[in-house]
Amino acid sequence: MILVIDDDIAVRTSLLLLLTSEGYTAADCAGPVEAIKLIKKNEPELIILDLNFSNDTSGKEGMALLNQIKKINAAIPVILITGWASIELAVQGMKAGANDFINKPWNNDHLLQSVKTLLDLNEKKAEHHTRKQLDKTYNFQHIIGEDPKMLNILETIGRVAGTDASILIMGESGTGKELIAEAIHQNSLRRNKPFIKVNLGGISTSLFESEMFGHVRGAFTDARFDRVGRFEMANKGTIFLDEIGDLDAGSQVKLLRVLQDRTYEVLGSSRTKSVDVRVVCATNKSLEEMVSKATFREDLLYRINLITVYLPALRDRPKDIPLLVNYFIDNLKEIYNRPALSVASNAMKWLQQLPLPGNIRQLKNIVERTILVSKKDELDIDDFRTQLELSPVKKGNIQLPGIGTLTLEEVEVAMIKRAMEHHKNRVAKAAASLGLTRSALYRRLDKYQIPYDEAED
């Protein structure tokens, strides 16, 4: 049974009709006292809760009732319904244990999707599986790992893949966030529909709307043709928003609207379009910390992280390193026509001891470079050590200038110039080596007036 708690009879009637027409059993009540009696007598599977029950619009009554519900049974999913005026209150409600918040007037499809997602998640309880059991149930063929932390992650994404829950994937650079996003899509009901990847760090603020929502011919000076946006491309499928922590404040507001209402406007057109899309986001930044510094919207964070997956660094799952190395070797045997390639056992143990701050991406890079340089079929420690020493990631042994000899700005300018020179003015590669997005490097080049002739990436 789904319980609707709202003092407005028109709202209750509309929601009851909507829910029962979809085959759900639903009940309603007008206020906290009646609600508590109903919840204790006939525990609902899900609650849709308004935040105000009188002329007082502070939301205190709704928040108090939410706290009472969570004391009775913290596992009951709660969807808050609220007007724009109380969006901050809805965010507080999420902190207090609510599972989702939906704006009034609501979109029926969006509300039903949230109901279905939360009920499905509540039904599917986590069980502990071996990697073989997981592989029998799900399609995880491109994800290598048997570490317990990884198995827990695979269990989680296996359970939630079949729902439309928004998922936030967090982890250091190179930990495989994109592979996890693809696995979520491949194991979902949308697997035969588009999977659209968007690197938000590579989209400039001025082009954000055009890239994400499309534009019509003549919308701006260079708009010579109509353009389909990424959300429209992803319709009925999954959109993967990578590097969401790099999004500026203005673009965050525009993204929040489409995630809340599932509607957007093509640039240069006044016609509103609807979109049916599953959203998966990823970042290597701490969004909670960014929220505390007011550089990331709190309501956007709650919109994208119904489920959060934290990918462990490779150094925290060293037993998976041999599996990954062998996987890379098997692929590279064919690519480089070296069928006898192998790794000495002492070299494998040595690789397991490395800190590998660049994670899986760095390990793959070291293995491939070693194969290219070494003529031997069995690779040993010295072969790998030589390539590790050539690796640009050696943060622990950096020789810094003496205090007072250079300002931080002068160090930054010197590093940018070195990176641009090393990568022969290829901005994308120079940016990656500096740990910056392409747009962030362009801003610094302009700021410091560093001259360059951009080479083709």
Side-chain angles (χ1 to χ4, degrees), residues 86-309:
S86 53
I87 196 75
E88 289 181 16
L89 197 64
V91 169
Q92 288 177 31
M94 297 288 281
K95 287 181 177 177
N99 300 81
D100 200 357
F101 64 94
I102 288 173
N103 299 321
K104 291 179 180 177
W106 62 86
N107 174 290
N108 282 347
D109 290 339
H110 185 198
L111 187 141
L112 288 171
Q113 187 181 84
S114 183
V115 167
K116 182 179 184 303
T117 295
L118 290 171
L119 289 175
D120 285 351
L121 287 175
N122 231 30
E123 280 178 16
K124 297 176 181 177
K125 304 299 180 186
E127 299 173 16
H128 293 293
H129 294 98
T130 64
R131 180 61 204 251
K132 283 183 179 178
Q133 288 171 324
L134 287 167
D135 285 338
K136 284 179 184 176
T137 310
Y138 306 110
N139 176 10
F140 291 143
Q141 59 180 338
H142 297 300
I143 299 174
I144 309 303
E146 293 180 4
D147 182 273
K149 298 185 196 73
M150 282 305 296
L151 293 184
N152 286 338
I153 287 167
L154 295 180
E155 282 176 357
T156 300
I157 67 171
R159 283 189 295 120
V160 302
T163 73
D164 276 325
S166 59
I167 298 177
L168 175 62
I169 306 167
M170 303 184 77
E172 295 178 9
S173 291
T175 47
K177 295 187 287 295
E178 187 177 315
L179 280 178
I180 293 292
E182 287 182 356
I184 291 166
H185 176 71
Q186 289 302 325
N187 289 280
S188 75
L189 300 175
R190 299 172 180 262
R191 67 179 70 91
N192 296 320
K193 300 297 182 182
F195 177 74
I196 302 297
K197 307 173 196 175
V198 187
N199 181 345
L200 293 176
I203 299 176
S204 66
T205 305
S206 59
L207 293 175
F208 179 80
E209 281 185 279
S210 172
E211 287 281 343
M212 302 305 291
F213 311 131
H215 65 246
V216 296
R217 182 182 176 187
F220 49 89
T221 306
D222 294 325
R224 298 191 183 103
F225 307 98
D226 289 357
R227 176 181 184 140
V228 177
R230 305 295 182 89
F231 271 97
E232 190 169 344
M233 289 179 192
N235 195 37
K236 303 294 182 186
T238 303
I239 192 165
F240 173 48
L241 304 176
D242 200 6
E243 295 189 29
I244 195 165
D246 290 347
L247 211 53
D248 66 278
S251 300
Q252 288 178 33
V253 174
K254 292 164 187 169
L255 180 61
L256 180 61
R257 184 200 161 181
V258 70
L259 298 188
Q260 283 184 157
D261 303 335
R262 304 290 157 158
T263 62
Y264 63 94
E265 287 176 6
V266 175
L267 197 60
S269 168
S270 58
R271 196 161 66 96
T272 299
K273 287 192 170 187
S274 297
V275 67
D276 170 14
V277 69
R278 205 266 182 80
V279 180
V280 180
C281 300
T283 183
N284 58 10
K285 297 183 177 179
S286 170
L287 297 186
E288 287 86 356
E289 192 177 316
M290 289 178 70
V291 166
S292 68
K293 292 177 180 176
T295 55
F296 197 85
R297 292 183 65 98
E298 192 169 23
D299 45 2
L300 178 57
L301 174 59
Y302 282 118
R303 183 58 71 198
I304 63 174
N305 77 337
L306 186 57
I307 302 294
T308 302
V309 174

Side-chain angles (χ1 to χ4, degrees), residues 371-388:
I371 289 169
L372 283 168
V373 172
S374 175
K375 302 300 180 189
K376 294 186 292 185
D377 281 338
E378 186 179 65
L379 305 172
D380 60 27
I381 293 175
D382 287 339
D383 297 315
F384 288 110
R385 183 185 283 124
T386 302
Q387 296 311 310
L388 182 67

Side-chain angles (χ1 to χ4, degrees), residues 15-137:
L15 287 173
L16 286 178
L17 283 170
L18 176 66
L19 293 166
T20 53
S21 69
E22 292 296 315
Y24 295 111
T25 303
D28 70 299
C29 57
V33 176
E34 189 184 348
I36 292 299
K37 286 179 183 175
L38 235 167
I39 291 165
K40 286 181 176 177
K41 183 181 176 183
N42 188 9
E43 197 170 272
E45 295 173 273
L46 181 141
I47 294 171
I48 298 175
L49 171 64
D50 186 26
L51 285 171
N52 298 301
F53 302 104
S54 65
N55 292 330
D56 177 13
T57 58
S58 68
K60 288 179 183 175
E61 294 168 306
M63 290 294 288
L65 180 52
L66 174 62
N67 289 326
Q68 284 181 279
I69 291 167
K70 289 298 169 184
K71 283 177 184 173
I72 294 169
N73 185 348
I76 300 174
V78 178
I79 298 173
L80 302 179
I81 49 173
T82 174
W84 263 106
S86 53
I87 196 75
E88 289 181 16
L89 197 64
V91 169
Q92 288 177 31
M94 297 288 281
K95 287 181 177 177
N99 300 81
D100 200 357
F101 64 94
I102 288 173
N103 299 321
K104 291 179 180 177
W106 62 86
N107 174 290
N108 282 347
D109 290 339
H110 185 198
L111 187 141
L112 288 171
Q113 187 181 84
S114 183
V115 167
K116 182 179 184 303
T117 295
L118 290 171
L119 289 175
D120 285 351
L121 287 175
N122 231 30
E123 280 178 16
K124 297 176 181 177
K125 304 299 180 186
E127 299 173 16
H128 293 293
H129 294 98
T130 64
R131 180 61 204 251
K132 283 183 179 178
Q133 288 171 324
L134 287 167
D135 285 338
K136 284 179 184 176
T137 310

